[in-house]
Amino acid sequence: MTTATPPRSAALAARLERLQAERAEVMGELFVSNGGDTADRATNVDANARLTLLEQRIATVEEEIINAGRQKTGSTGVSVGDVVTVDLGDGPEPYLFGSVEQAGDGMDVITQASPLGRAIEGAAVGTTVTYRTRAGRELTATVIAIS
């Protein structure tokens, strides 16, 4: 089994730490109160909603940390966690193929759910794919490298 590349692992670990700190801050905003006015209760509802979203984001990052260390299946194509160099027509540019939670450190992300992400997932180096944007434009991209 291989481990995730140190920069990717470090970025995920740092993101997890920031989310956990934010969760602790939100938990400090929560309070149990039998009284209070409508504004007090609204603040509590907002904090609970933020806490729920943070818990989901933390779970996603924790799963990505676990998966980052797993060996790629026999596929030589683009898969989640890869840094993929893609030429969108303006020259090669590196992207992380993963979730928005992994964004940072100057690395833009292509998500699996995006039109480009759906087109390049599984594509091998040298493959040119065609995809449609949400606006209906048809574009092409070439996978230059996968690391």
Side-chain angles (χ1 to χ4, degrees):
M1 182 182 292
T2 61
T3 57
T5 59
R8 197 175 327 152
S9 294
L12 285 171
R15 180 70 180 144
L16 180 60
E17 189 175 307
R18 286 190 301 271
L19 288 169
Q20 289 170 332
E22 190 175 344
R23 175 179 59 189
E25 184 180 308
V26 170
M27 289 179 76
E29 295 174 15
L30 292 172
F31 59 90
V32 177
S33 173
N34 292 332
D37 61 11
T38 304
D40 289 336
R41 288 189 296 276
T43 300
N44 206 6
V45 169
D46 287 345
N48 274 306
R50 285 181 30 225
L51 182 61
T52 299
L53 290 173
L54 282 168
E55 292 291 349
Q56 291 169 346
R57 291 170 63 194
I58 287 169
T60 298
V61 172
E62 288 173 338
E63 185 176 334
E64 289 170 359
I65 288 172
I66 291 167
N67 290 334
R70 292 195 178 143
Q71 187 173 13
K72 285 179 72 168
T73 59
S75 171
T76 57
V78 176
S79 61
V80 173
D82 287 339
V83 174
V84 58
T85 302
V86 180
D87 186 346
L88 301 170
D90 295 327
E93 295 181 57
Y95 295 91
L96 178 63
F97 186 69
S99 74
V100 174
E101 293 298 332
Q102 293 175 294
D105 297 332
M107 179 75 58
D108 290 326
V109 174
I110 297 173
T111 65
Q112 281 180 284
S114 70
L116 176 57
R118 288 191 302 273
I120 67 168
E121 187 167 19
V125 172
T127 302
T128 298
V129 297
T130 302
Y131 63 100
R132 282 197 187 280
T133 66
R134 289 187 175 102
R137 289 184 55 205
E138 189 171 283
L139 302 172
T140 61
T142 303
V143 177
I144 305 297
I146 303 169
S147 57

